[in-house]
Amino acid sequence: MSEKLSFVNPTADSPWGTYLSQVDRVVPYLGPLARWVETLKRPKRALIVDVPIEMDDGTIAHFEGYRVQHNMSRGPGKGGVRFHPDVTLEEVMALSAWMTIKTAAVNLPYGGAKGGIRVDPKKLSLQELEKVTRRYTSEIGIIIGPHTDIPAPDVNTNAQIMAWMMDTYSMNVGGTATGVVTGKPLHLGGSLGRVKATGRGVFVTGREAARRLGMDLRGARIAVQGFGNVGSVAAELFAEAGAKIVAVQDHTGTIVNSNGLDLAKLVPISRTDGVVGFKAGGDIVPNEDFWNTPCDILIPAALEGQLTAERAQKTTAKLVLEGANGPTVPIADDILAERGVLVVPDVICNAGGVTVSYFEWVQDFSSFFWDEDEINVRLDRIMMNALNHIWDTSDKHKITLRTATYAVACERILMARQERGLYP
Ligand code: NAD
C-alpha cells in the first residue's frame, strides 16, 4: 500500500502524468520485478530552494530553484539544469525520471536527476545571471557532488554556466572539483564533442531507424521544431547526409522552404534573430502550419508536450525523432502507432548528450583526455548497441520502441534495486 504524492497534481498530458503512464505501460513486461515498480513513481529526493540576488538596479529579487534526484539505484544522479520562466517542480520531477530511464537505457552507471530555476534568463544581465547561478549552486550544494549528483546544461544553460557552477561548488568545498558538472568549457575539464553530442545521437539513431524503414536519407524531407543546441546540430548532420530541412520552428516563429533551407545561412542568423530572421531563405508561416508541412521525418527538439493528439493526426512524417524530452503526449503516441509512424523515443534518441557527459566525467577523474574521433566512435557504438537491443525487445514483444526502451531500462533499474535490497 502506497500513499499518493501530495506535492504534485499530474494530469494525463502534464510531464509527470505522461511519465507515469509510460511506466504503467511497461509493467506487464517486468515479470517479478514489477513488485518494485512504485520506486519509479516517486522521486528519491526533491529539494526546493530560494535563490535571492541583488539586481543591477539595487532591488532584491527572489527566484525558485529545484534539484530532484529521482533514482540512484544504479549510480550517482545525472541530469541537466534548466533556466526557464515556466519551470515547475512537477516538470523537473518528470525530467529527472526520464534521466533515470535514459541512463539505464544506454547502460551508463548513473541514476537520474534534474534541476531548474523558474527565471527568464533573457531578462537578466550577465552579472545577474552569474549571481543566480552561483547562489542556486550553493543552495543545492548540499546534495550535488562528483560522486552523488552531477548537473549538466539543458534549456538556456551552457558551458559558461557550468563553469560558474563548478567554481562555486569548488570554492565551497575547497579545491577544484571538475567532476561535479559536465558540459564545461574545454580548458576546464570539458570534453571534445560534448556540444554536438545530443544532436549527433539524434542523427545516429535516426539514420539507423531510417535504414531499417527502408527510407533513403538523400532527399528525405525533415521538419525540426526547436533550433537550439539539439535541433540545429541534428539538422546540420541530416543535411550533410543529403536530407532537405523543409521546416524549422523556434520561439520566434516558423520558416518553411520545400526545396530545403540553406543551413549555412540559417544557423548563424537564428542565433541572434531567431529563425524568422532568415526571411530571405523561405516563407514565414503561422506556427500551427509547422505540423502539417509535408515531411518524411519530424524532429521535435524544443520542449515537452508539443506533439498533441491533433498534431499527431496532421503530420505526414513516417518517422519521429524525439530530440526534446517528453515532446509526445501519451494519446498522441497511440495515434502515431495506429497510423504506422515510428517514434524513436527521447530516452534513447537524445541520450547522446548524457553519454558524452559520462565520457567527460570519466576523463575528469582520470585527468586524461581523448581526441574527438575517439569520443565520436565510442558515442556511435554505445548508441547503436542500445538502439539494436531495444529494437530486438520491441520485435520480441511486439511493442513500440518507447515501451521497449522502458522495458530494458526499468529491468536494469529494478534489478539493481532488488540486488541492493531495502535499507534499513
Ligand atoms: P536550447 O535552449 O539550446 O534550444 C531550445 C530551442 O527551442 C530554441 O531554438 C528555442 O527557440 C526553441 N523553443 C523554445 N520554446 C519554443 C516553443 N514554444 N516553440 C517552438 N520552439 C521553441 O535547448 P536544447 O539544449 O537544444 O534543448 C532542447 C530540448 O532537448 C529540451 O527538451 C532538452 O531537455 C532536450 N535535451 C537537451 C540536451 C542537451 O544536451 N542540450 C540533451 C538531452 C535532451
Side-chain angles (χ1 to χ4, degrees):
M1 189 199 74
S2 307
E3 295 293 332
K4 274 195 160 187
L5 296 178
S6 66
F7 50 90
V8 278
N9 196 10
T11 62
D13 287 356
S14 68
W16 185 248
T18 297
Y19 166 74
L20 290 179
S21 97
Q22 290 164 345
V23 171
D24 283 339
R25 286 171 187 216
V26 87
V27 173
Y29 308 99
L30 292 177
L33 286 173
R35 73 183 280 255
W36 294 96
V37 84
E38 187 63 29
T39 310
L40 298 169
K41 294 188 171 184
R42 46 191 69 228
K44 172 184 174 61
R45 194 176 281 136
L47 182 64
I48 305 175
V49 296
D50 177 33
V51 183
I53 63 158
E54 184 175 357
M55 303 292 279
D56 293 348
D57 65 6
T59 58
I60 308 293
H62 290 256
F63 302 97
E64 196 167 297
Y66 314 94
R67 186 71 189 172
V68 177
Q69 295 168 343
H70 173 257
N71 190 285
M72 292 165 143
S73 297
R74 301 179 61 258
K78 187 86 192 82
V81 173
R82 177 175 293 197
F83 289 0
H84 196 279
D86 298 334
V87 165
T88 60
L89 175 62
E90 193 208 309
E91 181 189 50
V92 178
M93 274 171 60
L95 291 164
S96 71
W98 284 321
M99 287 307 300
T100 303
I101 304 294
K102 195 180 301 183
T103 55
V106 270
N107 215 0
L108 304 177
Y110 290 131
K114 201 86 181 189
I117 307 180
R118 205 172 159 76
V119 60
D120 185 352
K122 294 185 178 77
K123 292 190 178 147
L124 299 181
S125 68
L126 192 66
Q127 203 185 340
E128 290 163 347
L129 185 65
E130 178 174 351
K131 284 183 189 171
V132 161
T133 304
R134 287 187 181 278
R135 181 61 190 251
Y136 167 73
T137 308
S138 205
E139 292 295 337
I140 66 166
I142 50 174
I143 61 168
I144 63 168
H147 297 285
T148 48
D149 180 3
I150 307 116
D154 190 66
V155 174
N156 291 328
T157 54
N158 56 21
Q160 174 61 74
I161 287 172
M162 294 307 114
W164 289 329
M165 288 187 75
M166 187 277 274
D167 182 70
T168 305
Y169 180 85
S170 297
M171 290 300 107
N172 285 347
V173 297
T176 296
T178 53
V180 68
V181 288
T182 57
K184 300 180 294 295
L186 271 184
H187 50 278
L188 285 178
S191 176
L192 290 164
R194 174 62 184 90
V195 174
K196 294 197 164 182
T198 306
R200 190 179 170 84
V202 172
F203 171 70
V204 170
T205 52
R207 182 185 57 194
E208 176 63 11
R211 188 189 68 74
R212 285 176 179 250
L213 289 179
M215 182 192 290
D216 192 348
L217 280 187
R218 282 165 307 175
R221 298 160 305 168
I222 304 191
V224 185
Q225 188 207 29
F227 209 56
N229 182 254
V230 180
S232 68
V233 171
E236 284 177 319
L237 291 170
F238 277 109
E240 272 170 34
K244 284 191 296 189
I245 309 303
V246 293
V248 173
Q249 180 180 95
D250 72 359
H251 69 283
T252 63
T254 304
I255 184 165
V256 297
N257 184 336
S258 57
N259 295 318
L261 291 154
D262 182 348
L263 293 192
K265 290 186 179 143
L266 173 60
V267 171
I269 291 175
S270 72
R271 287 197 183 120
T272 48
D273 304 337
V275 298
V276 298
F278 190 44
K279 288 184 187 71
D283 298 321
I284 308 299
V285 300
N287 276 340
E288 206 46 43
D289 289 359
F290 170 83
W291 302 96
N292 46 21
T293 306
C295 66
D296 304 299
I297 301 177
L298 173 64
I299 308 181
L303 296 169
E304 54 270 18
Q306 295 295 306
L307 198 39
T308 57
E310 196 192 332
R311 292 168 177 174
Q313 287 287 7
K314 278 190 204 169
T315 185
T316 58
K318 289 275 159 292
L319 177 60
V320 174
L321 305 176
E322 292 188 337
N325 286 308
T328 310
V329 303
I331 183 166
D333 230 4
D334 295 339
I335 292 168
L336 292 170
E338 275 160 27
R339 294 188 60 219
V341 181
L342 184 76
V343 178
V344 182
D346 49 3
V347 279
I348 171 78
C349 192
N350 69 31
V354 71
T355 303
V356 176
S357 273
Y358 165 57
F359 297 161
E360 179 175 334
W361 185 70
V362 168
Q363 292 170 89
D364 286 340
F365 279 119
S366 62
S367 298
F368 178 78
F369 291 85
W370 313 340
D371 65 30
E372 192 157 357
D373 282 349
E374 185 165 3
I375 302 270
N376 288 341
V377 167
R378 285 176 189 263
L379 171 64
D380 288 16
R381 195 187 306 141
I382 287 182
M383 297 294 289
M384 287 296 290
N385 284 346
L387 186 68
N388 288 334
H389 183 45
I390 286 159
W391 211 292
D392 291 347
T393 307
S394 149
D395 284 347
K396 184 174 148 198
H397 295 297
K398 310 243 170 312
I399 50 179
T400 62
L401 280 183
R402 188 184 318 277
T403 303
T405 310
Y406 274 67
V408 168
C410 292
E411 188 181 330
R412 287 184 181 141
I413 300 157
L414 299 181
M415 184 61 83
R417 176 71 278 156
Q418 180 167 276
E419 284 169 350
R420 287 178 67 156
L422 271 188
Y423 174 86

